[in-house]
Amino acid sequence: MSPADRVLWASARTFADLGELMARWLEGGIRSRPAYAPGAGPDEETGELIPLLAAVNRAGFLTDNSQPGDDGPGYDGRRWQQRAAVEGFITDHTLLNRVLKKTRRAGLLAVVHHGARRAARNGEPVTWRGDDPHTAFGCYLHRRDVMHAWQGLSHDALAELVNARQVALIEPQPGPSTRLWDTLTDLTGR
């Protein structure tokens, strides 16, 4: 991470500050972010989702990972299937309740870990290579893992992040779908 980016992330004092910085990273205004490859922007597959993801971050859902739904040949020629999914952190209980209510209405899956407590469901496969699960969202992150991945944040911002709800929202089926993105659009009012 560049010294300038390191200073920006260290200057965040609140969860809202983190959401704004993540939105700016998604939009290309910041080159690096904690818990991601230095100097790398969002994956190419996320391109058309960037405006929505930036709005979601500014609304109080700090996204840390996302993927569109897909079903087809991958880079290696094998069939790859993805469920549309997003995961991250929420500190505002009112926002969390709205997210979960809209998620249930849309028929999406939700995995929520409450700070130091892991939910009954710990991770949900979202990507398959052939018939083999390849990626999961909604896996519980221990406090030490969050602190390690997001090192360099101010004490105040890191404390909010460690105590936040860990949230994953997942389409029930693989393949292209707009249900998750429509739900998030409704949530942000975009």
Side-chain angles (χ1 to χ4, degrees):
M1 188 179 296
S2 74
D5 288 349
R6 200 172 282 118
V7 167
L8 271 176
W9 288 98
S11 72
R13 295 287 175 251
T14 66
F15 195 76
D17 293 343
L18 294 176
E20 177 60 31
L21 289 173
M22 185 64 77
R24 288 176 52 198
W25 173 79
L26 284 160
E27 296 166 337
I30 300 173
R31 286 186 37 85
S32 296
R33 73 169 185 94
Y36 205 75
D43 284 345
E44 194 174 303
E45 70 179 4
T46 308
E48 62 187 50
L49 299 174
I50 287 174
L52 176 58
L53 291 171
V56 166
N57 277 277
R58 288 184 173 113
F61 182 178
L62 179 69
T63 64
D64 160 291
N65 202 1
S66 63
Q67 68 179 32
D70 195 24
D71 187 351
Y75 72 94
D76 58 359
R78 290 188 66 188
R79 182 180 185 195
W80 285 75
Q81 293 181 296
Q82 286 188 174
R83 296 196 280 181
V86 63
E87 66 183 350
F89 304 88
I90 297 176
T91 59
D92 181 315
H93 296 288
T94 302
L95 175 62
L96 177 63
N97 289 335
R98 282 182 44 225
V99 166
L100 295 177
K101 186 176 182 180
K102 289 182 182 298
T103 298
R104 275 192 296 277
R105 273 197 204 137
L108 300 168
L109 302 174
V111 179
V112 180
H113 304 288
H114 297 272
R117 291 191 329 258
R118 182 172 37 194
R121 171 184 275 156
N122 186 25
E124 185 73 28
V126 294
T127 305
W128 292 264
R129 177 178 180 244
D131 293 329
D132 301 321
H134 184 71
T135 307
F137 276 29
C139 297
Y140 176 72
L141 299 173
H142 291 275
R143 174 185 180 95
R144 68 182 173 276
D145 297 327
V146 174
M147 292 175 71
H148 176 73
W150 291 82
Q151 63 187 318
L153 296 182
S154 72
H155 176 74
D156 294 337
L158 189 57
E160 285 198 56
L161 191 59
V162 164
N163 292 308
R165 302 305 195 244
Q166 298 173 21
V167 179
L169 308 177
I170 304 166
E171 283 277 358
Q173 299 299 320
S177 175
T178 62
R179 187 175 5 180
L180 172 60
W181 314 120
D182 292 344
T183 301
L184 292 175
T185 298
D186 184 42
L187 181 71
T188 62
R190 289 183 53 92

